Amino acid sequence: MASVLVVGGGVIGLSIAYECRKRGFEVTVIESGQCGGQASGAAAGMLAPYSEITEDPDDFFRLCQKSLELYPDWVKEIMQSSNETFEYSRCGSLYAIYHEADLLSLESKQRWQREYGIESYLLSGDEAREREPLLSEDIYAALWCPEESHIYAPGYVLALIKACRNSGVNILDNAGEAELVNGENHQIKTDKGIIKGEHIVLATGAWSRNWEKELNCSIPVFPIRGQICAYKGPELRHIVFTSQGYLVGKENGTLIAGASEDIAGFDTSVTSHGINRLESWSQHVLPELQQERPFHKWAGLRPATQDGFPLIGKVAQKPTILIAAGHYRNGILLSPVTAVIIANEIEQLPQEVPIESFRPERFQFV
Ligand code: GLY
């Protein structure tokens, strides 16, 4: 049986490991620390490409749309394979605007969403408040996307770990920093020894740039910090987006407000500036929050790329090595589709979505 070695135990790496194992490969995951210990576990778990992507639809949008379509079956399968449940709420979203001047862009967004078969409805401020009574009276209009959903990211990570283990994936955590064995395209050196794989998948999130020298190719992935805070309630029926951030209620009673986008290297601390901004924005959207203070604040590092698209596919000069990184704001959402694409690449099967725009070689050194 051919073997796949996945470097990185976030949701992208674990999903790839699970999918490859399902297709009959021997799979090992190596993780420098704890699986899900970085952006994956810190995420608010939004599955909301229609609200997150404001520009025209492109290959990235289609990738997100495909992954959202895969989610219901994927969640069912991961729950079955892990014997775990985790929150998967198909509650829909409201993208709220507060000024008439923003209506045109909301209307044009709805137009192209319709062209792509996405269900969405433009609501007046009053109609939006009927759907979500806690919204401030200042709301002018909203776009309602019933298909958008969210999951509880820490629960998803735990289920993925269990699903991998139950299906026979070997997970080595606390393996320290991984490096390619000199001149080798099939061996990775870790604190736990040298691990071999006929195919090696690098799913190392914001740290993926570390492979540039060894692979002799450009991997322009860099960390963008997302600061988040959580309140105890109030309960929301939908995910609420504005141009400034999002609010999402979890079934455990917490209301998550996110998220900053700041450049702070690999620093995952929160700042009073970042959290204060979130607090005042949240109070504007939900006036009930004026009496509340967040009980929990944290940050994660999103892996951003130079052109905003992830890197998914083989390294041109070393086709036994694949990269799956740079998913930026959509790592949780894109985990199923990335797993399928990488497994198809390894098996040399046709892809169901165009992936040319995501090929790592687009950034070759010149
Ligand atoms: N997808 C939400 C975020 O990155 O903050």
Side-chain angles (χ1 to χ4, degrees):
M1 203 187 288
S3 59
V4 175
L5 171 53
V6 180
V7 185
V11 291
I12 298 291
L14 292 167
S15 301
I16 292 167
Y18 176 81
E19 181 70 22
C20 289
R21 179 69 198 133
K22 190 170 94 184
R23 296 192 191 193
F25 291 93
E26 295 269 12
V27 183
T28 303
V29 174
I30 50 181
E31 161 57 44
S32 59
Q34 289 291 312
C35 285
Q38 296 293 343
S40 301
M46 231 92 62
L47 309 175
Y50 312 138
S51 299
E52 290 263 356
I53 299 168
T54 45
E55 299 85 28
D56 290 338
D58 52 17
D59 282 354
F60 181 63
F61 173 79
R62 284 207 268 173
L63 186 74
C64 292
Q65 189 180 20
K66 178 74 192 167
S67 212
L68 189 66
E69 273 168 34
L70 294 176
Y71 242 92
D73 286 345
W74 177 255
V75 163
K76 206 192 275 172
E77 189 176 329
I78 298 301
M79 284 186 183
Q80 270 167 4
S81 305
S82 63
N83 274 320
E84 291 284 336
T85 56
F86 52 89
E87 181 183 7
Y88 171 43
S89 169
R90 302 172 81 178
C91 59
S93 67
L94 289 171
Y95 191 103
I97 58 164
Y98 295 85
H99 304 285
E100 190 180 355
D102 294 324
L103 190 57
L104 206 61
S105 69
L106 215 56
E107 283 170 344
S108 97
K109 192 170 164 181
Q110 192 203 19
R111 239 186 332 269
W112 65 251
Q113 285 182 344
R114 282 279 164 95
E115 276 167 36
Y116 279 75
I118 297 155
E119 199 187 341
S120 68
Y121 304 92
L122 200 53
L123 307 182
S124 67
D126 286 345
E127 286 167 337
R129 277 166 44 79
E130 260 170 50
R131 294 206 64 82
E132 195 65 71
L134 296 179
L135 290 176
S136 123
E137 285 174 16
D138 293 347
I139 186 170
Y140 181 78
L143 195 60
W144 172 36
C145 285
E147 293 163 49
E148 292 199 314
S149 43
H150 65 94
I151 60 169
Y152 181 60
Y156 177 45
V157 170
L158 285 179
L160 274 174
I161 295 170
K162 265 188 104 178
C164 281
R165 288 212 160 106
N166 289 351
S167 60
V169 173
N170 179 25
I171 299 181
L172 301 173
D173 38 25
N174 296 311
E177 207 172 309
E179 3 172 327
L180 273 169
V181 174
N182 227 353
E184 265 287 345
N185 293 335
H186 299 282
Q187 295 187 26
I188 294 275
K189 198 166 132 221
T190 72
D191 289 355
K192 304 216 166 170
I194 289 177
I195 320 286
K196 295 183 186 170
E198 274 148 82
H199 307 273
I200 295 179
V201 184
L202 306 174
T204 42
W207 288 263
S208 298
R209 198 160 205 164
N210 293 346
W211 298 101
E212 279 190 333
K213 248 200 202 135
E214 289 169 85
L215 297 178
N216 191 29
C217 69
S218 176
I219 307 174
V221 179
F222 50 92
I224 296 285
R225 183 169 63 184
Q227 299 185 47
I228 306 189
C229 62
Y231 296 88
K232 287 202 167 29
E235 239 174 80
L236 279 186
R237 298 174 184 169
H238 307 78
I239 307 169
V240 175
F241 277 90
T242 77
S243 60
Q244 304 298 305
Y246 51 81
L247 288 161
V248 54
K250 298 293 174 184
E251 70 184 6
N252 64 8
T254 58
L255 177 71
I256 295 176
S260 71
E261 285 193 338
D262 33 75
I263 299 173
F266 290 90
D267 181 359
T268 53
S269 49
V270 293
T271 63
S272 46
H273 176 76
I275 298 297
N276 290 346
R277 190 198 70 77
L278 276 180
E279 281 195 63
S280 56
W281 165 79
S282 311
Q283 288 166 7
H284 175 63
V285 178
L286 285 191
E288 272 205 26
L289 289 177
Q290 282 162 13
Q291 326 308 329
E292 307 291 331
R293 286 293 160 268
F295 72 96
H296 185 35
K297 305 159 194 173
W298 71 98
L301 300 174
R302 305 182 187 91
T305 62
Q306 201 174 307
D307 61 3
F309 284 8
L311 287 85
I312 309 176
K314 291 180 178 167
V315 174
Q317 311 305 327
K318 297 177 189 283
T320 59
I321 300 181
L322 299 94
I323 302 180
H327 293 73
Y328 192 38
R329 295 181 64 101
N330 291 290
I332 302 276
L333 169 67
L334 291 172
S335 52
V337 82
T338 304
V340 171
I341 291 173
I342 291 289
N344 285 347
E345 283 288 273
I346 291 173
E347 293 196 289
Q348 301 190 21
L349 294 174
Q351 300 291 355
E352 283 178 39
V353 280
I355 65 159
E356 289 315 306
S357 315
F358 312 123
R359 292 208 180 275
E361 68 253 31
R362 70 188 188 276
F363 295 120
Q364 282 311 323
F365 285 131
V366 280

